[in-house]
Amino acid sequence: MNISHILLACCTVACAFSTSCLENQTSVLTQITSEVMTSRNKLEGTWDYMVKDVPPEYSKGVLRIIRNQKVFGVEVDLSDGSNLKASEVMVRRKNISFYLMINGQRVDVALHVEGDTISGESTSPDGVFKLEGTRRQE
């Protein structure tokens, strides 16, 4: 065996190792991307929610989190039949925040999704109120 055969063998092993490492890195990157997208997809859906210590017309309703391409939107149906569209919707992993205008007052909402439950709080000039809800199975 001469030096050129040894170099060829070393190059073949190095190339195989590099390809294997590259495939593993690509696999890990794909898995991470998939987990991020799945996490975001979990936010989407229709949620029945309840808020404690607020007037009855605001105490429960339906929250819809929708996504069009990369843009999220939120709509809220109150128990009195009115529909509100959220502004400044921000998503970060399993968290979503936005604000609603209710009777001329800004109400900030911050929520966290864990599986089929959603929880968080809304903040208005009247105080901070806890919100909890469950995903509708559609």
Side-chain angles (χ1 to χ4, degrees):
M1 216 168 162
N2 63 27
I3 192 75
S4 62
H5 286 108
I6 294 171
L7 287 174
L8 179 60
C10 288
C11 287
T12 302
V13 170
C15 182
F17 180 74
S18 296
T19 302
S20 175
C21 286
L22 183 58
E23 287 173 1
N24 285 342
Q25 289 174 347
T26 303
S27 175
V28 169
L29 183 57
T30 301
Q31 182 179 359
I32 291 169
T33 303
S34 176
E35 287 175 9
V36 168
M37 292 310 294
T38 300
S39 162
R40 286 191 172 171
N41 288 338
K42 289 182 182 177
L43 292 173
E44 296 173 57
T46 302
W47 306 81
D48 293 307
Y49 74 88
M50 294 187 335
V51 183
K52 295 180 182 178
D53 302 322
V54 297
E57 61 270 24
Y58 305 118
S59 65
K60 60 183 172 178
V62 177
L63 175 81
R64 281 187 306 285
I65 301 174
I66 54 175
R67 185 174 77 166
N68 184 5
Q69 301 291 326
K70 295 182 180 181
V71 179
F72 281 85
V74 176
E75 292 183 3
V76 177
D77 294 331
L78 300 175
S79 60
D80 68 0
S82 60
N83 176 275
L84 304 171
K85 292 192 186 324
S87 298
E88 295 183 13
V89 177
M90 304 287 284
V91 172
R92 187 167 200 174
R93 297 185 185 175
K94 295 181 184 181
N95 300 303
I96 186 165
S97 62
F98 54 89
Y99 79 85
L100 302 165
M101 293 303 292
I102 301 177
N103 294 328
Q105 294 185 336
R106 180 179 169 137
V107 177
D108 292 295
V109 180
L111 302 171
H112 176 77
V113 172
E114 196 63 50
D116 289 333
T117 62
I118 195 166
S119 61
E121 58 187 30
S122 60
T123 305
S124 74
D126 297 323
V128 178
F129 304 95
K130 298 290 182 196
L131 183 148
E132 295 179 347
T134 55
R135 185 190 309 268
R136 282 189 181 176
Q137 300 303 317
E138 300 179 272

